[in-house]
Each structure stands twice: as C-alpha cells, then as structure tokens.
Amino acid sequence: MADSIHQHENDTGIAARVRYLLPYAIALVLVLWLMSGVLRASGGSELGSYDYAAFGALPVSEDGRVKPMDTLARNSLLQISGKQSLVEEMLLEGEDEGLPAIIWLAEVVSQHPNAQQRAVFRIDDPDVLGLMGKTVDDGKYFSMAEVWPSIQQIDEEARRARDLPDDERSRFQEHALGLWRSVGLLYELQVGLRPYMVPPTAEGEDWQPLVEQGAVGEPTFTPAARARPAGQSWLDMISAYGQGDIAQFNQRVAAHATAVGAAGQADADLNTKSMMRKADFEQGFNAYRPFAKGIVLYTLAGLIGLLGLMLRPMLPEGWYKTVWRSGVGVLIIAFLLHTAGLLIRMWLQGRPPVTNLYSSAVFIGWAAVGFAIGTELLSRLGIASLASSIVGVSTLFIAHNLAKDGDTMGVMQAVLDSNFWLGTHVITVTLGYAATFFAGFLALLYIVLGMATPVLDKKSARLLVGMVYGTICFALLFSFVGTVLGGIWADQSWGRFWGWDPKENGAVMIVLMNAITLHARWGHLVRERGVMCLAIVGNIVTAWSWFGTNLLGVGLHTYGFMDGAMQKLMMFAIANLAVIAIALAVPTRYWVSFRPQPSPGSGNGPGEPSRPA
C-alpha cells in the first residue's frame, strides 16, 4: 500500500514537471526554428557556383527607390506570375522546384535563351487563352515564346480596355490588360529600360538605365550611362552570364559592387555605403520572410488556443493552464517576430509603419495582436488569443495578396510625403481600425462559441462582453482623434478640412458605429447579445472604410487597389451579417453554452438558466 502511494506521488511530480516545462519546450523549438531561418537567409545562394547572393544584393533604382536586385526579382515575378520563386510550371528540364526569382531575373536581364522558355505568365481567362490559340487544357502558365506571336491581338484588346473606366471593363478586358502589362514589364527588364542600374557620381545626378526609349519605339544605349564605371561593369556582368562564364560573372558582380560603392565618393550626400548596406539587409529580409513565418506561428497559436477551449471541460485545471500558457507563448513569439518585421520595414523605408495598403494590413494585424495579448493576460480566458490569431493570419494573408501589386515599400505619393502626419493621423486612425476589428472578432467568437459549444459560462460570457466594450471605447477614442487629425492634414494639403470624400465618410462611419454601440449599451437599448451584434457590424463598416472606399476609384484618398477585392469584401460582409441574423433568430436559452441547467438536488427538473442577463 505504501509503495502504491509513493508511486502515485512520483507520477504526480513527473506530471507537474511536464506541465511546467512543456510551454518552454515548445517556445525553445520555435525559437530554434526561427534562428535556423536567419542562418539560411544569411547563407546566400550559389546554385551552380553562380554567386546569386552577391548579384541579388546589388542595389538598383526602380519605382522611385533604391532596392536590391533580389527585391526587384521577387516583385517582378510576383506581378507576372503570382509567385515569388520558380514553381514546377516554370522549371526547365533537370531543375528542382523552388529556385529563387533572382535566377529568372539574371536570365532576363542577360537575355539568356532560358528567359524566353520559362512559363512565367499566368493566364486564367479562357477568352485570353483563345487569343493565343490555347485552351484551359493547356495549363495556366505560358512562356514569352508562346505569348509573343499573339502580342498584336493582346495589344489591341488592351488598348480598348485602357480607354474604358475601371468599372466598365469586362473580365476578359481586365485579364487582357493584365497580360499586356506583364509582357511589357518583362520586355522592359529584358532590354534594359528598367531598372536604373547606374548610380549617380555627383550631386544633382540621377540613377540611369543603360538604354532609353528611342524615337521610333526601339531602345537605344545611353552613352552617358555606359561611360560611367558602373555602367560598363553592369554590361560586362550580364554579358558573362549570357555566355555561361561562371568565373567571369562572379568577378564582374564583385567589380560592379565596387563601382557602385565608389560612385558616391565624390559627394558624401550620396552615402552609397548606407545604400548598399540597406540593399544587402533587405535581401536577407526577403529571404527570411518573417510575415510568412508569422502566419505559421499565428495559425499554431490559434490551434492550441482552440484545442484548449474545446478540451477545457475535460482537462484537469493544471493541464488547461499548460495548454493556455503554450498558446499564449506561441502568440507572443509570433508577435515579437511581427514586431521585428515591422521595425525592419520602417528602417529600410525610412518611414512610419503605415504608408500604403500593404503596410496598413501588416500594422492592423500587429496592433490587434498587441491588444489581444494584453487582454488575454488579464482575462486568461483563451478567447482573446484565439481572436488575435484569426486577425493575425487574416491580415497577413491580405498583405500577401496586396504585395502582388508591386513594391510594398515604393515611393510615396506627394500628398502623403509627410512623416509627421504619417506618424500621427495615419497611425492613430489605423489603431482605431485595429481595435474595432479586434472587438468584432471577439464578438464573433462569443456568438460562435456560445451557440455551438459549452465553453462559455455566465462569468466568462460577461467578462468577454466587458472586453469588447472596453476595446470599443479605445477604438472610438482613436478613430475620432485620427479623423480630426486627418481633417487638419487635409486642410494643410488641399485647403479644406472636410470634403465628404469616400475615405472621410468611411472614417466618420467607424466613429459613429462605435459611438452607436456604446450609447446603445449605456441607454439599455441592447443587452449582451445586442452589444456583440453591433460590434460585428463594426467589422463590416471598418472593412468598407479600409478597402471599399478604394474600390470606388474616386476621391482624393484612392491610394491603392486590389483586383477582385469587391467580391471578397461582399463575402466578408455577408458572412458577418449571417452570424448576426442567426444570433438574433435563436434565443440564447437554446445556445449550447447558455442552456438552462438543472438546480442542485432537484433531480432532472429545470433550474435557473446559466445564460447571461
């Protein structure tokens, strides 16, 4: 008997140590995984002995900013094919999948024969395929050699599409115009019209391409650019690659880097050392892909959080705490990685964190996760971390899709070129977006978990409502202050405080929606379920202000566009409205979490309901 008790105590002690150490073990594995990614990103790429790492780090000027060749390669391939590396359809015989985009760009700029054969153009529209004599059975990816014979027909359709307003183009015209632009981008890269690869050598000079567009539409070499050392070294470099001379190519890459570094010695303001250091760091940032890793970590945190919520009624208290700590630990690691990515982008761009739609998606997800971690550490419900995981994954996926429009750190429009207002108005109003979304997703979980699971009891339900209420208070403050600051900026930029621009109307709608929710609760017009439904409406209003106003294509605030976003926006709104409708149609006494429970000692008879007041 004594031996049995002693064995039980040992088992309990081992289980307690496992419960204590498990979250740290998971965190250690994830940190090692992230660190291994840093080593791989900094290790470079020398496939086939070509020094693609050094080639990818070379700085060039394109779309108004200096960037590494690696960024140009990734952005260009993403615009043309929707991919950032060479996938199976783009590979030639004997190549392995996942080759970096810099290989494709090296082939393009050197006019290597492989560039004509790689199937990089993605074509989804059957009518556009018909222009080329192809069908959907021929696949989705096609090479320049396959597209070029039909370029005249594609050009004619693109010209007709360009003459029409965006909202009047058919699907066929949109796809024909998109293919025409992709062909034009590849052509400009191939003949040397872009990027600008010859740096200035003195104050007042600009970056130069090697060629310029001639009077009859044919590119011609620019003597001034070729006369500079960096211009000649570039020509030697791409010539060596085109001839397949590996040793000569590697030597010329090093010579070109030296020529670029020496270009600014005559003028300290050019600061070529800083430029090259940033280009090299950006290449490593591209290879590491912190936001893609963030999606993985947020997904893992969400799965752990969901598992903990579902198993909570069956798990001993000690094991539930272990699962909760593990999920929050993964969430914190993801948030720190997200923060690092955000700070690095700010350093590379020299701007506050929000400058375009892409960066707004990254920042909104980051801010919502930050709200959630603070809320979760106070409440310890597990619901805030689950909501933040959903928001984190969603916003980073949105950012990934927005990256297909081109350089995510491109030059600012003149009206936005103010770090002061970008750091005040834009940050403040975007924090209002993030808080409103976070409140809306908490409300969605309240309804979904309350209706379909026994997770919520009376205490946790009221605590969750309090979290939503407090978040909306924060959202109202920041959305209101941000809107007023925006009016002051508009007065400085356009000479009027308010003009009923679609984006301005969207900002006011967010303020009003948050105010309506708070006043409805203060005035006892709604109870807990009503507050949650109004918070979900806030999701729709905020999404409209964020994306919908851009899709209108009118007004002074149209700073970005996302093809196909209207359908996705409508689906998002319909899904939220469906949740609201179901929540209002089904009384809370029928929700799984809030069904009436038998009174203690009363047998099977009904007792007081456990649903919230």
Side-chain angles (χ1 to χ4, degrees), residues 2-3 38 43 65 133 178 187 194 207 224 239 251 259 333 344-345 367 413 432-433 437 445 476 497 514 526 585 606:
D3 291 342
V38 173
R65 82 173 181 98
Y187 173 78
R194 61 193 301 182
W207 282 76
S239 175
Q251 290 176 10
I333 293 173
I344 291 171
R345 279 181 54 86
Q413 293 190 28
Y433 282 18
F437 271 132
L445 286 177
L476 175 61
F497 181 84
N514 286 324
V526 295

Side-chain angles (χ1 to χ4, degrees), residues 80-83 87 89-90 119-126 128-129 132 134-143 146-147 171 175 179:
I80 292 173
S81 68
K83 303 292 182 181
V87 297
E89 294 85 352
M90 308 173 196
V120 294
F121 297 109
R122 174 161 180 160
I123 306 174
D124 295 307
D125 189 82
V128 175
L129 290 173
M132 301 163 47
K134 305 285 186 181
T135 67
V136 292
D137 295 331
D138 295 315
K140 292 184 177 181
Y141 290 89
F142 299 88
S143 67
E146 294 173 293
V147 172
R171 173 185 168 87
H175 281 257
L179 177 59

Side-chain angles (χ1 to χ4, degrees), residues 53-116:
F55 179 65
L58 294 176
V60 294
S61 178
E62 199 250 356
D63 287 342
R65 82 173 181 98
V66 177
K67 65 184 73 171
M69 285 286 289
D70 180 74
T71 296
L72 175 66
R74 291 171 183 267
N75 289 342
S76 300
L77 187 60
L78 188 63
Q79 286 179 269
I80 292 173
S81 68
K83 303 292 182 181
Q84 284 195 344
S85 61
L86 299 176
V87 297
E88 181 179 357
E89 294 85 352
M90 308 173 196
L91 300 177
L92 304 178
E93 187 175 352
E95 293 180 335
D96 297 325
E97 186 169 358
L99 293 179
I102 193 65
I103 294 180
W104 165 77
L105 185 61
E107 294 171 349
V108 170
V109 298
S110 66
Q111 300 188 15
H112 194 283
N114 287 354
Q116 296 293 107

Side-chain angles (χ1 to χ4, degrees), residues 501-516:
D501 187 90
K503 198 76 169 182
E504 295 169 356
N505 294 339
V508 169
M509 288 168 63
I510 295 174
V511 174
L512 292 176
M513 190 64 238
N514 286 324
I516 287 170

